[in-house]
């Protein structure tokens, strides 16, 4: 079995009216329920969008520093992540497609090593 991270950047979601986002709740939660039923779900969740609530930890200087806000300013921020544990790449692609369809926006997938 191999774990895969299925994730998206908040900027990939696009601008939509509130009713569109409400219409994505059931399809996206249905995919998570299906993953749970199939025994492949490790974790799924969206991330806080307000970067003022983020903080970073950095020990690269040899001294630990905890600071408020994101570690670096960037044009994209991680919006959510799903971790699955599946037997093969084909299964990972199938679940990534289901997540993309359920959410209504693109997903990127990487092996967790």
């Amino acid at each position: 079995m191999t774990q895969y991270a299925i994730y998206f950047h908040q900027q990939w979601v696009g601008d939509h009216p509130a009713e569109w986002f409400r219409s994505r709740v059931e399809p996206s939660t249905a995919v998570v329920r299906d993953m749970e039923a199939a025994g492949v779900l490790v974790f799924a969740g969206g991330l806080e969008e307000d970067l003022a609530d983020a903080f970073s930890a950095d020990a690269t200087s040899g001294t630990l520093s905890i600071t408020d806000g994101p570690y670096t300013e960037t044009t994209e921020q991680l919006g959510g992540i799903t971790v699955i544990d599946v037997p093969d790449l084909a299964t990972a692609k199938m679940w990534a497609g289901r997540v993309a369809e359920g959410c209504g926006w693109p997903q990127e997938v990487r092996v967790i090593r």
Side-chain angles (χ1 to χ4, degrees):
M1 299 288 273
T2 303
Q3 290 186 337
Y4 292 83
I6 303 168
Y7 59 92
F8 67 94
H9 289 274
Q10 194 62 43
Q11 290 72 15
W12 302 350
V13 173
D15 294 324
H16 304 283
E19 58 272 5
W20 184 88
F21 284 104
R22 284 191 295 275
S23 76
R24 304 317 313 153
V25 172
E26 178 51 34
S28 61
T29 56
V31 174
V32 172
R33 287 192 306 269
D34 290 349
M35 287 179 183
E36 288 173 328
V40 301
L41 182 67
V42 175
F43 171 83
L47 302 177
E48 171 61 51
E49 292 181 39
D50 187 353
L51 291 182
D53 293 334
F55 65 91
S56 63
D58 181 9
T60 57
S61 69
T63 303
L64 177 61
S65 172
I66 308 288
T67 57
D68 292 335
Y71 178 68
T72 62
E73 294 298 322
T74 181
T75 59
E76 291 189 337
Q77 68 188 49
L78 193 60
I81 187 166
T82 300
V83 177
I84 56 173
D85 195 8
V86 295
D88 54 44
L89 181 61
T91 305
K93 288 180 177 182
M94 183 274 297
W95 285 115
R98 294 275 317 276
V99 171
E101 289 172 337
C103 291
W105 50 79
Q107 303 290 315
E108 187 165 295
V109 183
R110 295 175 66 184
V111 171
I112 297 175
R113 300 216 185 265

